Amino acid sequence: MAIRSAKIDQKADLIWAIADKLTGPYKPHEYGDVILPLTVI
């Protein structure tokens, strides 16, 4: 169970790292234009 939790935490950390990088070039009202396509990918 701990291994599964660690994998989920790693994936969540990756997603948050990408989100942190996107906050620089995009304004808050533009987040939706970027997040939905990335979620589909």
Side-chain angles (χ1 to χ4, degrees), residues 3-5 9 13 19 31 33-34 39:
I3 295 172
R4 181 181 272 170
S5 179
D9 287 344
D13 290 341
Y31 291 168
D33 296 336
V34 177
T39 304

Side-chain angles (χ1 to χ4, degrees), residues 10-31:
Q10 288 175 343
K11 289 179 183 177
D13 290 341
L14 174 65
I15 292 169
W16 281 112
I18 293 169
D20 287 340
K21 288 181 182 181
L22 289 176
T23 57
Y26 296 100
K27 294 179 175 69
H29 69 275
E30 297 173 322
Y31 291 168

